[in-house]
Amino acid sequence: MLNATLRELSAALAAKKLSSVELTRACLGRIERHNGELNAFITADAPQALAAAERADARRAGKGNAGEAGPLTGIPVAHKDIFCTRAMRTTCGSRMLENYVSPYDAHVVEQLERAGTVLVGKCNMDEFAMGSSTETSHFGPARNPWDKRRVTGGSSGGSAAAVAARLVPAATGTDTGGSIRQPAALSGVCGLKPTYGVVSRYGIVAFASSLDQAGPIAKSAADLALLMNVMAGFDERDSTSVERPKEDYGRFLDTELKGLRIGVPKEYFGEGVDAGVLRAVEAALRWYEAQGARRVDLQLPTSPLGVPVYYVIAPAEASSNLSRFDGVRYGHRAQGYSDLMDMYCRTRAEGFGAEVKQRILVGTYVLSHGYYDAYYLQAQKVRRLIARDFAQAFERCDVILGPTSPTTAFEIGAKASDPVQMYLNDIFTVSAPLAGVPALSIPCGFDEAGLPVGLQLTGDYFSEARLIGIAHRYQQATDWHLRVPKETPL
Ligand code: GLN
């Protein structure tokens, strides 16, 4: 049961072979057993989860007034602790919000609640989603279920670890520069970053507003479709939410691979990518070719500029967004200050960790008079070129294939003191959010150390259903996504 996909669980719930209470109990048992070591959850709430599971069972039985049951009714889920929830605190991985309880739910939380999912807890993450390893969390690092000495990736590392260790069948994440796809890759699960504007940002603590996008993390690509059907959709409370007709993200699950044009950028297969990663990704590419897909060699010349551009724009927006944490409105407030300015300074000095402070400093610098043109404006111009690279590539191919991350999971502490090394993890993931296009990561094998490798598929705007279909076809022929980490056996 714990290794079943959402589709299988949904069918079992519908056929009354399984109740939501049983399933939720099993998940809570796993959390109880493994979370002490994995640190995937910051908060888990068994009584609330069981009450929600009872309501879901009643709804499946046609009782109550919540309406007809849907495919996700009764499915336990966890949210990255960046989604505001009334039911549980929302810490964002920070001391600043350690005891913060939101007066409202995020749009995504509402949507999943309406669908009848069972919220079991909130997942660990890098502080304010700044990081690629979940090590900047105020609550300590999450640990990788494939090797507990290693990171889970970040910033949605707790969500990825929770799904990988089969603590919950699905979780949410957010991706600003790779934070859904990179932890999915390092933890051996599936994650999708949708087109910017497809999922509402309402109620998600803002990091870099022009990049932030929420998305699902689950075991299979087909499961991502089920979650997207609930998470996506117009919301007038997010000014950048896109108004489009509702779509079924599972409509291309039987997509034809014959004739599919797969773009293979030279830049994604060069220096700096681990041999084990290359081997697995190239094998996946050969599998698609064997199904009749056509390889289209191409170049994304601006791809190496993604990291420097991202690390100007994201901190710039973050420095502005994080100015709200001033000790007045919400969150931590320092004790024993002399005046208002002193209160601000002490509050922010105590409430934020080192990485967040560094980003605020960098962001303030690149926006400052005299440097704005040289850094921020220049980065915006190059961002435009990155989007143009993708547009040109998608004239020649239907999907771009490559590794999600240049390495597999690294040891906790290995890169923590070297920001440049840490930022280089994001080399293949930052471009999609900079351009606003969708991208997903699915498991495609293991390296020689037995650590999972992620395959990234990037598509043109609003092509997520197609990406899911292409990934699903691969998963029908492989079982990488169903392997269970050896350190958290079932
Ligand atoms: N690793 C990137 C960063 O540190 C991306 C984080 C994210 O996508 N939230 O900013």
Side-chain angles (χ1 to χ4, degrees):
M1 164 172 71
L2 286 163
N3 205 32
T5 63
L6 286 187
R7 293 218 294 182
E8 292 162 342
L9 291 172
S10 178
L13 288 166
K16 308 281 183 309
K17 286 186 188 141
L18 175 70
S19 73
S20 175
V21 168
E22 285 166 340
L23 179 58
T24 303
R25 277 227 169 85
C27 290
L28 291 168
R30 292 283 289 173
I31 294 170
E32 178 80 39
R33 183 151 146 228
H34 293 292
N35 195 54
E37 273 197 304
L38 293 177
N39 203 19
F41 283 87
I42 292 174
T43 305
D45 191 325
Q48 276 200 52
L50 288 169
E54 276 170 23
R55 286 196 299 276
D57 283 334
R59 187 164 162 190
R60 288 248 181 216
K63 296 189 207 124
N65 52 6
E68 234 177 89
L72 296 185
T73 303
I75 299 285
V77 297
H79 289 302
K80 181 178 187 179
D81 210 11
I82 197 169
F83 290 86
C84 285
T85 47
R86 279 176 304 167
M88 296 172 198
R89 64 179 173 157
T90 300
T91 69
C92 226
S94 181
R95 183 178 178 205
M96 189 61 96
L97 292 176
E98 189 163 8
N99 301 307
Y100 173 68
V101 180
S102 167
Y104 60 88
D105 286 328
H107 180 76
V108 166
V109 173
E110 271 175 10
Q111 291 296 102
L112 283 163
E113 169 98 31
R114 207 167 288 158
T117 61
V118 172
L119 176 61
V120 300
K122 308 283 297 284
C123 288
N124 201 357
M125 55 181 284
D126 279 299
E127 186 178 9
F128 286 101
M130 297 173 188
S132 315
S133 64
T134 314
E135 289 169 284
T136 72
S137 170
H138 170 62
F139 302 89
R143 290 176 179 275
N144 194 312
W146 293 95
D147 178 348
K148 289 178 190 153
R149 291 168 305 145
R150 294 177 187 269
V151 303
T152 57
S155 64
S156 314
S159 300
V163 174
R166 303 334 192 203
L167 308 186
V168 277
T172 56
T174 58
D175 192 311
T176 303
S179 279
I180 290 174
R181 293 159 288 150
Q182 189 258 12
L186 270 47
S187 306
V189 294
C190 302
L192 167 72
K193 183 208 86 76
T195 305
Y196 184 75
V198 161
V199 176
S200 168
R201 290 180 294 112
Y202 178 78
I204 299 173
V205 180
F207 166 9
S209 309
S210 77
L211 298 156
D212 295 345
Q213 192 50 202
I217 295 178
K219 285 187 209 83
S220 74
D223 286 359
L224 298 178
L226 285 178
L227 292 158
M228 279 298 286
N229 283 348
V230 169
M231 293 170 70
F234 176 67
D235 173 22
E236 61 182 13
R237 298 169 299 184
D238 171 0
S239 62
T240 57
S241 174
V242 188
E243 207 163 351
R244 306 179 85 233
K246 261 272 178 218
E247 61 178 289
D248 173 12
Y249 287 92
R251 71 189 184 282
F252 291 125
L253 291 185
D254 52 9
T255 192
E256 179 59 70
L257 295 177
K258 196 154 184 262
L260 179 76
R261 297 170 305 163
I262 299 187
V264 181
K266 165 170 135 289
E267 293 79 5
Y268 287 11
F269 290 83
E271 226 179 294
V273 186
D274 278 0
V277 170
L278 277 182
R279 240 189 325 272
V281 172
E282 279 165 357
L285 174 59
R286 280 197 300 278
W287 181 85
Y288 279 109
E289 289 184 285
Q291 312 307 307
R294 194 152 55 79
R295 173 190 177 126
V296 180
D297 286 305
L298 48 85
Q299 293 186 14
L300 293 173
T302 56
S303 150
L305 301 175
V307 168
V309 165
Y310 173 86
Y311 281 98
V312 169
I313 292 174
E317 294 186 21
S319 70
S320 162
N321 273 327
L322 269 57
S323 64
R324 74 191 67 182
F325 301 104
D326 56 5
V328 176
R329 282 167 283 198
Y330 33 55
H332 178 73
R333 179 185 296 175
Q335 308 275 311
Y337 44 85
S338 55
D339 58 14
L340 183 62
M341 188 53 76
D342 189 42
M343 190 279 282
Y344 289 157
C345 294
R346 284 174 192 269
T347 293
R348 289 167 69 84
E350 292 170 9
F352 292 138
E355 182 65 27
V356 173
K357 285 177 187 156
Q358 183 165 292
R359 304 266 181 131
I360 293 172
L361 288 173
V362 169
T364 311
Y365 179 79
V366 300
L367 289 173
S368 62
H369 183 73
Y371 295 101
Y372 178 92
D373 289 355
Y375 292 105
Y376 183 73
L377 200 62
Q378 186 66 14
Q380 290 291 14
K381 289 178 182 165
V382 181
R383 180 177 189 178
R384 200 63 236 142
L385 297 178
I386 291 171
R388 200 179 66 185
D389 258 11
F390 276 119
Q392 286 171 350
F394 290 127
E395 284 172 13
R396 298 182 50 215
C397 68
D398 305 304
V399 60
I400 293 173
L401 179 149
T404 307
S405 164
T407 71
T408 52
F410 44 92
E411 283 183 20
I412 291 173
K415 299 187 185 181
S417 57
D418 185 346
V420 174
Q421 274 308 311
M422 189 65 95
Y423 297 171
L424 280 172
N425 284 308
D426 305 337
I427 185 148
F428 301 135
T429 51
V430 288
S431 295
L434 285 168
V437 296
L440 58 71
S441 179
I442 57 169
C444 70
F446 295 87
D447 70 0
E448 42 295 315
L451 299 166
V453 176
L455 175 77
Q456 178 167 242
L457 300 175
T458 308
D460 208 350
Y461 299 105
F462 306 112
S463 68
E464 32 283 271
R466 182 78 66 186
L467 292 178
I468 287 171
I470 296 167
H472 176 67
R473 292 299 310 276
Y474 176 76
Q475 295 191 324
Q476 286 178 309
T478 56
D479 71 347
W480 308 119
H481 61 296
L482 297 176
R483 307 269 180 105
V484 178
K486 51 185 178 306
E487 299 201 4
T488 53
L490 292 176

